[in-house]
Amino acid sequence: MAEVYHVPVLLKESVDGLDIQPGGIYVDVTFGGGGHSKEILARLGSDGRLFSFDQDADAERNIVDDHRLTFVRSNFRYLGQWMRYYGVEQIDGLIADLGVSSHHFDESSRGFSFRYDAPIDMRMNQRAAKTAADVLNDYSEERLSDVFYVYGELRQARKIARQVAAFRTASHRIATTGDLLEAVGQTAADKKDLARLFQALRIEVNHEMDALRDMLRSATMLLRTGGRLSVLTYHSLEDRIVKNVMKAGNPEGRMEQDFYGRVASPLKALGKVVVPSADEQAANPRSRSAKLRIAEKI
């Protein structure tokens, strides 16, 4: 049986949210297994265009041969620069499926999951210099504590950082996921705590929050009036940023008002937050924490 690279979450709902126009220009900033891109292409006319981003070389195997598709191997934080490069001034919609793909969790050599004892890498872009092992071995105890607390929301962040610092020595680096599990011991033995710990490291290695802010700022500027933004989030940190952008027009949630005291936001959130059905959650465990938010440029 062929390996399934990634099972897209809320596929129909997220693409429906884009309100595809046959001749429109759309962007999928998280190509991955190509599920959302293929669905967009199925709804586009012959004159439509789709730009799909992914910084992971593994995703390139999923590119389809379609004249309407332009694949961009890059971090989505450079969305604005790439659209200028291709001469695109406005887009009709953008979709983002944030977080980690099924492929990354299942590919043991990438070090994204505590299910496997493997080199603790966690780079989305394997051309990048810094790995999770570098973070664990080179950051000060205080800096590690900040990473675990801010990005993992771990109450035991200080204790975990202290244990990591005590475990590593000049002659013994933390090189594998197994080393990390041994270092933290029972302090983060619970699967939820381990998931938060690995999440924190992944976010730090890939600068995920900064990249998300940059991408959303560019997307807001690029969207034409009536254009749609459809974003899937999987944890509270990224969801808060997306919610702020859709409500206030900026990642910080800073409410700005016009002369008449009206909130001056370039976006309008559409409908309620959408979550996967019980059937989808049962079939695709990754979907259990998913939230879909949709907004329109006004």
Side-chain angles (χ1 to χ4, degrees):
M1 182 181 295
E3 175 192 353
V4 176
Y5 188 98
H6 177 70
V7 179
V9 175
L10 289 168
L11 176 60
K12 181 181 184 300
E13 295 86 347
S14 57
V15 178
D16 282 350
L18 292 175
D19 188 28
I20 300 290
Q21 304 303 305
I25 300 175
Y26 294 88
V27 180
D28 177 357
V29 294
T30 49
F31 180 72
H36 290 101
S37 283
K38 291 171 187 174
E39 182 64 21
I40 292 170
L41 289 169
R43 304 186 190 194
L44 276 179
S46 59
D47 295 330
R49 297 179 71 187
L50 173 64
F51 294 86
S52 295
F53 284 67
D54 207 297
Q55 61 184 325
D56 191 341
D58 287 353
E60 295 189 43
R61 74 181 72 160
N62 303 310
I63 298 173
V64 294
D65 184 13
D66 192 306
H67 73 276
R68 300 168 298 173
L69 172 66
T70 299
F71 182 82
V72 183
R73 186 179 172 189
S74 174
N75 189 307
F76 60 42
R77 73 185 308 170
Y78 304 116
L79 169 67
Q81 292 94 314
W82 279 106
M83 291 299 95
R84 284 195 296 273
Y85 175 80
Y86 284 108
V88 176
E89 296 182 358
Q90 289 187 311
I91 61 175
D92 294 280
L94 179 145
I95 192 167
D97 184 1
L98 304 176
V100 184
S101 73
S102 309
H103 168 74
H104 289 126
F105 280 128
D106 294 337
E107 189 69 27
S108 61
S109 63
R110 301 294 293 273
F112 283 96
S113 174
F114 53 81
R115 291 180 293 159
Y116 311 104
D117 187 9
I120 190 160
D121 189 314
M122 296 194 185
R123 290 172 299 170
M124 296 286 193
N125 176 4
Q126 292 189 292
R127 296 175 294 182
K130 183 170 65 179
T131 69
D134 295 325
V135 171
L136 290 165
N137 290 286
D138 300 341
Y139 279 24
S140 67
E141 180 182 326
E142 181 180 6
R143 191 176 178 189
L144 280 176
S145 178
D146 288 344
V147 168
F148 298 156
Y149 183 76
V150 174
Y151 293 149
E153 300 179 296
L154 285 160
R155 290 177 295 177
Q156 299 273 41
R158 288 184 179 178
K159 185 175 181 180
I160 293 170
R162 185 163 61 247
Q163 289 176 296
V164 168
F167 186 86
R168 68 191 188 192
T169 64
S171 60
H172 187 271
R173 287 175 60 85
I174 296 176
T176 68
T177 53
D179 290 339
L180 178 58
L181 296 184
E182 184 179 348
V184 301
Q186 293 301 308
T187 305
D190 182 82
K191 286 187 177 181
K192 289 185 179 179
D193 286 340
L194 282 176
R196 289 175 178 271
L197 175 60
F198 275 62
Q199 170 186 294
L201 286 168
R202 190 198 78 226
I203 290 173
E204 175 67 15
V205 168
N206 297 288
H207 308 288
E208 290 181 26
M209 297 301 101
D210 290 336
L212 177 59
R213 293 184 187 96
D214 290 347
M215 182 273 288
L216 289 172
R217 289 189 187 100
S218 294
T220 301
M221 291 187 287
L222 283 164
L223 281 171
R224 68 174 76 252
T225 301
R228 296 286 186 88
L229 186 61
S230 180
V231 185
L232 282 155
T233 66
Y234 295 87
H235 58 76
S236 60
L237 300 177
E238 60 191 14
D239 188 61
R240 189 176 305 124
I241 291 172
V242 173
K243 181 180 179 180
N244 285 343
V245 167
M246 291 186 175
K247 183 178 181 180
N250 59 77
E252 299 75 29
R254 185 178 60 255
M255 304 298 289
E256 299 177 354
Q257 297 180 333
D258 63 16
F259 179 79
Y260 299 100
R262 296 172 298 197
V263 175
S265 174
L267 298 172
K268 177 179 68 175
L270 300 178
K272 297 180 179 180
V273 176
V274 180
V275 298
S277 67
D279 287 344
E280 182 171 1
Q281 292 183 43
N284 183 4
R286 178 177 179 267
S287 72
R288 291 172 185 166
S289 58
K291 292 181 179 180
L292 171 64
R293 295 183 183 274
I294 300 166
E296 182 178 83
K297 183 74 171 285
I298 56 177

